[in-house]
Amino acid sequence: MSEWQAKLKSFLGQAAGKILVWSLIAIAGLSALGAVGAVTAYLLITPRTFNLAKIEAENRIPGIIFYDAHGDILATRGANHGDDITIKELPDYLPKAFIATEDRRFYSHFGVDPRGLLRAVWADLRAHRFVQGGSTITQQLARNLFLSNDKKLGRKLREMLYAVWLERHLTKNQILELYLNRIYFGAGTYGVDAASRFYFSKPAKNVSLAEAALLAGLPKAPTKLSPTTEKGLSSAQARARFVLANMLEAKYISNDAFADARAHPAAAADHPVGVQYYLDYVYELLAELTQNNPKGKEDLVVETTLDARLQRKAEAAIAAIFCNPK
């Protein structure tokens, strides 16, 4: 090697070393600046005090719930929130169905899951559109409590900050309970108990594994997956099979339980068609009956005298006459 070649090699080596050092300094500086920016944004966006009751009251959407003569839900108008439940009241597999599908690392992250977020970003880049949100259960709760459902970057960043804020003030089980009590399941139902009563005519504490899997699949696309229509039921059952596979992979259920739930998929209970005409009549009476009551954030509960069981039998008898004339 000639002298000039040796000098050139030495110069390039020194330059590469300097570039590496300055690159590391730049990365460290940008990281520090990003950390300062994140802390500043957190302090500006998140509230200084935590009052869960106030937060719930301010964001609650009131609705009307109609019950029949037996105390079963006939229908809802507006939002149907149902009863708040605790994890201890639910079968073990119900909350696990949501964790397995929505947020497998729920009990280990700090409100935001970097691995899940990177995976979602990569999927979105490959598809050239939003196909995965990467939101944890805590982020979904933050969105439900404080934000809208738009997919803008600013909303996503605020969602992350609120998620970290919630994790500072609540335990994991409290977050999971709030999530299960507030998530939207379609047909105006908010919360797993309201959804269970509407779709299966039973409280959430009594659902089977197959029913739990169907419920856990609904939040992804409540309208498209609605089990009250033939097409929606097929899609909902396919989604439920996906949930069951996730639960098996996470070792939340046994092979036998998985096979049994797949072999006996859940289906929504029948809702009498004629009831809607009756409820339209009752709904018109409500304006007069409630005119002296102040409007608030609580659901309006309407107990009717209609016997939905007899209504179903009557509709079935009429259908049999017209569909099978002698």
Side-chain angles (χ1 to χ4, degrees), residues 1 11 40 44-45 104 148 158 227 241 259 278 293 305:
M1 179 183 296
F11 172 77
T40 302
L44 289 174
I45 291 174
R104 192 77 63 87
S148 66
R158 291 196 299 276
R241 291 193 291 273
Y278 171 76
N293 295 332
T305 57

Side-chain angles (χ1 to χ4, degrees), residues 214-241:
L214 190 143
L215 288 173
L218 291 180
K220 178 179 177 62
T223 301
K224 180 181 178 182
L225 299 173
S226 174
T228 58
T229 66
E230 184 176 347
K231 183 178 180 181
L233 177 59
S234 176
S235 299
Q237 289 177 339
R239 174 73 176 167
R241 291 193 291 273

Side-chain angles (χ1 to χ4, degrees), residues 75-95:
T76 61
R77 298 289 172 89
N80 172 17
H81 295 276
D83 296 329
D84 285 346
I85 48 145
T86 64
I87 292 180
K88 292 182 179 179
E89 295 177 87
L90 297 172
D92 182 61
Y93 47 73
L94 181 52

Side-chain angles (χ1 to χ4, degrees), residues 166-181:
L166 286 173
E167 293 268 353
R168 286 188 58 236
H169 294 281
L170 298 171
T171 66
K172 286 290 187 178
N173 280 350
Q174 287 176 319
I175 290 171
L176 185 58
E177 285 177 3
L178 275 173
Y179 170 83
L180 292 174
N181 285 322

Side-chain angles (χ1 to χ4, degrees), residues 238-250:
R239 174 73 176 167
R241 291 193 291 273
F242 172 74
V243 173
L244 289 169
N246 284 336
M247 296 181 73
L248 182 65
E249 182 181 347

Side-chain angles (χ1 to χ4, degrees), residues 79-326:
N80 172 17
H81 295 276
D83 296 329
D84 285 346
I85 48 145
T86 64
I87 292 180
K88 292 182 179 179
E89 295 177 87
L90 297 172
D92 182 61
Y93 47 73
L94 181 52
K96 285 184 176 179
F98 289 87
I99 293 173
T101 304
E102 297 290 334
D103 189 358
R104 192 77 63 87
R105 285 179 291 277
F106 172 69
Y107 282 104
S108 61
H109 62 61
F110 56 90
V112 178
D113 182 7
R115 287 173 57 186
L117 187 61
L118 289 174
R119 183 178 64 251
V121 170
W122 175 244
D124 293 342
L125 290 174
R126 292 181 62 185
H128 302 290
R129 60 187 178 88
F130 286 107
V131 293
Q132 288 188 23
S135 293
T136 64
I137 282 177
T138 314
Q139 285 177 252
Q140 292 180 51
L141 176 61
R143 183 195 316 151
N144 186 286
L145 288 173
F146 304 106
L147 305 168
S148 66
N149 287 319
D150 67 71
K151 295 186 177 181
K152 295 180 181 179
L153 180 60
R155 194 275 294 163
K156 192 71 175 178
L157 293 175
R158 291 196 299 276
E159 177 186 291
M160 293 180 186
L161 294 176
Y162 273 118
V164 175
W165 183 76
L166 286 173
E167 293 268 353
R168 286 188 58 236
H169 294 281
L170 298 171
T171 66
K172 286 290 187 178
N173 280 350
Q174 287 176 319
I175 290 171
L176 185 58
E177 285 177 3
L178 275 173
Y179 170 83
L180 292 174
N181 285 322
R182 291 195 62 97
I183 199 71
Y184 184 60
F185 288 90
T189 58
Y190 289 83
V192 69
D193 192 67
S196 179
R197 292 178 186 274
F198 178 79
Y199 291 119
F200 306 128
S201 297
K202 65 173 71 171
K205 64 183 180 181
N206 293 336
V207 297
S208 66
L209 174 59
E211 291 167 339
L214 190 143
L215 288 173
L218 291 180
K220 178 179 177 62
T223 301
K224 180 181 178 182
L225 299 173
S226 174
T228 58
T229 66
E230 184 176 347
K231 183 178 180 181
L233 177 59
S234 176
S235 299
Q237 289 177 339
R239 174 73 176 167
R241 291 193 291 273
F242 172 74
V243 173
L244 289 169
N246 284 336
M247 296 181 73
L248 182 65
E249 182 181 347
K251 298 181 179 179
Y252 290 157
I253 56 175
S254 65
N255 289 320
D256 290 342
F258 169 78
D260 183 68
R262 275 189 60 104
H264 303 92
D270 293 330
H271 292 272
V273 178
V275 166
Q276 298 304 320
Y277 300 104
Y278 171 76
L279 292 180
D280 288 340
Y281 165 73
V282 175
Y283 190 74
E284 291 178 0
L285 297 177
L286 290 179
E288 179 181 349
L289 295 173
T290 61
Q291 61 182 352
N292 295 323
N293 295 332
K295 293 183 178 179
K297 290 289 187 178
E298 295 298 321
D299 292 333
L300 180 63
V301 176
V302 181
E303 297 179 354
T304 74
T305 57
L306 179 73
D307 190 322
R309 300 172 190 175
L310 291 178
Q311 180 71 26
R312 291 190 186 94
K313 292 179 179 179
E315 289 182 11
I318 293 173
I321 292 173
F322 284 95
C323 294
N324 300 293
K326 294 183 180 179

Side-chain angles (χ1 to χ4, degrees), residues 7-59:
K7 290 181 178 180
L8 178 62
K9 183 177 180 180
S10 175
F11 172 77
L12 292 176
Q14 292 176 6
K18 290 180 179 180
I19 290 173
L20 177 61
V21 170
W22 282 109
S23 296
L24 292 174
I25 292 173
I27 291 173
L30 290 173
S31 298
L33 184 62
V36 172
V39 171
T40 302
Y42 176 85
L43 294 174
L44 289 174
I45 291 174
T46 57
R48 302 279 63 78
T49 60
F50 183 82
N51 188 326
L52 182 58
K54 183 178 179 181
I55 293 171
E56 292 244 83
E58 289 178 349
N59 293 277

